[in-house]
Amino acid sequence: MTIGSGTAAGSGRRALVVGATGIAGSALVDTLVGEGWEVLALSRRPGPERSGVKWLSADLTSADSLAAALAPENPSHVFFTAWSRRATEEENIAVNAAMLRDLLAALRGKKVAHVALMTGLKHYLGPFEAYAAGEMPDTPFHEEEPRLPVRNFYYAQEDELWAAAEEQGFTWSVHRAHTVIGHAVGNAMNMGLTLAAQATLCRDSGQPFVFPGSETQWNGLTDMTDAGLLAEHMLWAATTPAAANEAFNIVNGDVFRWRWMWPQLAAYFGVEWEGYQGEPRPLERSMAGREDQWRRIAEKNNLREPDLDRVASWWHTDGDLGRNIEVVTDMGKSRDAGFTGYRRTLDAFTSLFDRYRAENLIP
């Protein structure tokens, strides 16, 4: 599909990608550069040099740091994909709402046309402290569902976005993704690389690739979001008048059951597998103490990252696969507005694993 018509180089469209080294941010940088945009890539530490990308370093939790980094810059479109995990939801609200508020304040007075905010399905499922535990809407989730009666940093971020849009005169979009898989290292929520690390460790030790989650997740329908598709969706909304000032779900467009997907992933890695066998078998428990094993594998195979903590986020994958609710997401609102992007989730996994292998992140 053609994204963002009129975005050729020299068109004056300059994108600011916040969280540019993360899963979603990295995919956005790739997509925007491919579409001919000038890209300002903001992160705590700069990524690799590449044509069309200017790296900006800032601490998102510091208003002064953001103001200093953005003072000389004039983005036309902003894509906010960053977040900071804290111990409690109240802390999540305070820190993550402030990051977005301070970022937008640093752009006050500049000619920003659109701000796209990435959130997720915790909008419907509840925050980590009450995740999939209270009253929730029926699946598939629809964007018009009312907010849950609990505190949630996604809600606080939306409120900050709407207030700034009214004051500063830009249009906005919100993008609610489900379990994003894409290319990044050291990310707090990276199921793709986590499952690749699990399979690699299991193969090395001669153990089966064990599904860690619940019976509901093993047998029920679910969906996911490819980072490249999310990037296409955010760029589409940022450049399509019919998508302005709307919140959208964004998932691949297919559904699957883990009891089907798990053997496919095992076959890719050439490892035996075990499905659900009466109770969850969380990765935080079964993969504990594997740091030295990973370091040995990394040394033997000349892998780029010997630190297992920067490769696997066991807790996040346990949370997603341990839910006792079927999670399916409706894409009708995006389709009606003209977005037709699609990914087959199995292909999203295998192409991601291929890239990780090519870049010496997994053997």
Side-chain angles (χ1 to χ4, degrees), residues 89-109:
E89 191 60 17
E90 286 304 317
E91 292 175 273
N92 279 330
I93 290 168
V95 171
N96 289 281
M99 290 196 312
L100 181 58
R101 181 172 63 249
D102 293 341
L103 184 283
L104 296 176
L107 297 171
R108 190 176 287 121

Side-chain angles (χ1 to χ4, degrees), residues 24-197:
S26 296
L28 268 164
V29 171
D30 290 343
T31 298
L32 289 159
V33 169
E35 290 285 317
W37 287 60
E38 295 178 64
V39 177
L40 303 170
L42 178 65
S43 61
R44 185 181 291 271
R45 290 175 291 275
E49 292 293 325
R50 61 186 296 183
S51 178
V53 178
K54 178 181 179 180
W55 286 95
L56 307 176
S57 295
D59 177 0
L60 286 174
T61 64
S62 166
D64 291 341
S65 177
L66 284 168
L70 294 172
E73 309 300 343
N74 290 283
S76 61
H77 295 70
V78 178
F79 301 88
F80 194 95
T81 69
W83 82 293
S84 179
R85 186 189 182 199
R86 300 293 161 142
T88 68
E89 191 60 17
E90 286 304 317
E91 292 175 273
N92 279 330
I93 290 168
V95 171
N96 289 281
M99 290 196 312
L100 181 58
R101 181 172 63 249
D102 293 341
L103 184 283
L104 296 176
L107 297 171
R108 190 176 287 121
K110 301 177 187 289
K111 294 182 179 179
V112 174
H114 187 91
V115 178
L117 169 66
M118 174 193 169
T119 64
L121 295 197
K122 288 189 292 296
H123 185 96
Y124 310 108
L125 290 163
F128 286 121
E129 291 176 5
Y131 190 56
E135 183 177 342
M136 291 169 291
D138 282 339
T139 56
F141 294 133
H142 297 86
E143 293 90 341
E144 62 268 22
E145 294 290 346
R147 290 178 175 182
L148 300 176
V150 294
R151 299 268 286 163
N152 189 320
F153 85 82
Y154 285 164
Y155 303 163
Q157 285 187 315
E158 286 186 343
D159 291 343
E160 295 291 349
L161 178 66
W162 298 338
E166 184 174 356
E167 177 197 347
Q168 295 169 234
F170 55 77
T171 59
W172 56 268
S173 56
V174 175
H175 304 261
R176 299 170 185 164
H178 181 203
T179 310
V180 179
I181 55 171
H183 184 274
V185 181
N187 189 271
M189 300 192 298
N190 193 339
M191 181 184 282
L193 190 51
T194 296
L195 294 181

Side-chain angles (χ1 to χ4, degrees), residues 19 119 144 181 210 232 237 255 257 288 300 310 342 349 353:
T119 64
E144 62 268 22
I181 55 171
V210 172
E232 291 178 13
V255 295
R257 303 181 199 275
K300 177 182 177 182
R310 284 184 49 77
Y342 171 85
F349 268 122
F353 297 152

Side-chain angles (χ1 to χ4, degrees), residues 228-252:
L229 186 70
L230 170 61
E232 291 178 13
H233 193 253
M234 294 181 79
L235 180 50
W236 162 79
T239 56
T240 301
N245 303 327
E246 297 286 349
F248 294 100
N249 296 330
I250 172 60
V251 289
N252 288 341

